[in-house]
């Protein structure tokens, strides 16, 4: 019942909700450049009817889910440097847990993911929401935020200059047309 999930505070019950379970967890990971990050997640979990005989094969499905997801995320994040991970955290996490999006040939606008299936108990993670990604080292977090601000400022400056260039080009084009028209009038 706590976050991050552990077996310290278990809620024992004889009931199993088979559809629309919500499980939340906090996962601590480390990037390739040794920066620790904390990820807050919320999972949507269903138990598939085709595998009812397995539903109670696992004593603690929440522990099974959280341990497996933690392992996968630690491995995936370890391949990323902090800047790349922070920039692409949500798609990286969702692809790692739910699988890559697959386009529907019948409806190209619609895509789907397979979800994470657990053969141990017939459980499938159908969705994951990335609630927060926090860099634990405040100095590095500040550096990344400052870097992102500089990129945004540069992009705004470039867009402003491009708009100014368009205006100057249009004004000059009008002036040239006026001069041509005057020259043609004087020539006749």
């Amino acid at each position: 019942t706590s976050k991050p999930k552990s077996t310290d505070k278990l809620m024992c019950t004889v009931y199993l909700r088979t559809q629309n379970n919500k499980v939340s967890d906090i996962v601590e990971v480390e990037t390739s450049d040794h920066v620790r990050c904390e990820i807050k997640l919320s999972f949507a979990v269903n138990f598939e009817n085709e595998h009812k005989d397995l539903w109670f094969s696992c004593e603690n499905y929440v522990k099974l889910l959280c341990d497996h997801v933690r392992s996968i995320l630690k491995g995936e994040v370890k391949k990323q440097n902090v800047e790349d991970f922070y920039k692409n955290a949500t798609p990286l996490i969702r692809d790692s847990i739910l699988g890559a999006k697959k386009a529907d040939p019948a409806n190209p606008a619609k895509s789907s993911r397979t979800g994470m299936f657990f053969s141990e108990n017939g459980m499938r993670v159908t969705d994951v929401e990335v609630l927060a990604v926090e860099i634990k080292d405040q100095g590095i977090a500040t550096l990344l935020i400052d870097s992102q601000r500089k990129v945004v400022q540069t992009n705004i400056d470039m867009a402003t200059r491009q708009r100014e260039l368009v205006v100057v080009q249009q004004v000059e084009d009008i002036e040239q047309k006026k001069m041509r028209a005057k020259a043609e009038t004087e020539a006749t």
Side-chain angles (χ1 to χ4, degrees), residues 3 12 33 39 52 111 136 140 149 160 164 171 184-185:
K3 288 182 262 174
C12 295
D33 41 5
I39 308 168
K52 319 182 175 188
S111 60
K136 300 307 283 178
I140 292 173
R149 282 189 182 132
T160 301
E164 288 171 355
V171 168
E184 288 173 7
T185 303

Side-chain angles (χ1 to χ4, degrees), residues 89-145:
T90 298
L92 174 82
I93 292 166
R94 289 179 57 79
D95 286 351
S96 298
I97 296 170
L98 301 173
K101 280 186 177 182
K102 293 182 182 156
D104 182 354
N107 185 357
K110 188 178 178 183
S111 60
S112 64
R113 297 176 186 264
T114 57
M116 180 181 282
F117 180 71
F118 290 80
S119 58
E120 299 90 327
N121 63 349
M123 171 176 66
R124 184 176 301 274
V125 177
T126 58
D127 198 12
V128 62
E129 185 177 358
V130 181
L131 303 172
V133 175
E134 180 185 334
I135 297 171
K136 300 307 283 178
D137 183 320
Q138 207 50 45
I140 292 173
T142 301
L143 283 173
L144 278 174
I145 291 168

Side-chain angles (χ1 to χ4, degrees), residues 9-68:
K9 291 173 94 178
L10 292 177
M11 183 174 96
C12 295
T13 179
V14 295
Y15 300 102
L16 176 66
R17 184 176 178 160
T18 60
Q19 298 293 306
N20 304 314
N21 286 288
K22 292 289 182 199
V23 177
S24 57
D25 195 17
I26 298 172
V27 180
E28 191 168 300
V29 294
E30 187 175 272
T31 61
S32 63
D33 41 5
H34 307 288
V35 177
R36 286 187 12 230
C37 301
E38 189 176 85
I39 308 168
K40 293 180 182 175
L41 302 168
S42 178
F43 306 101
V45 179
N46 292 335
F47 287 84
E48 297 184 348
N49 284 333
E50 307 84 62
H51 304 284
K52 319 182 175 188
D53 54 328
L54 298 173
W55 287 355
F56 297 97
S57 299
C58 178
E59 186 176 329
N60 186 342
Y61 79 87
V62 173
K63 181 177 180 352
L64 175 68
L65 166 65
C66 292
D67 287 350
H68 188 62

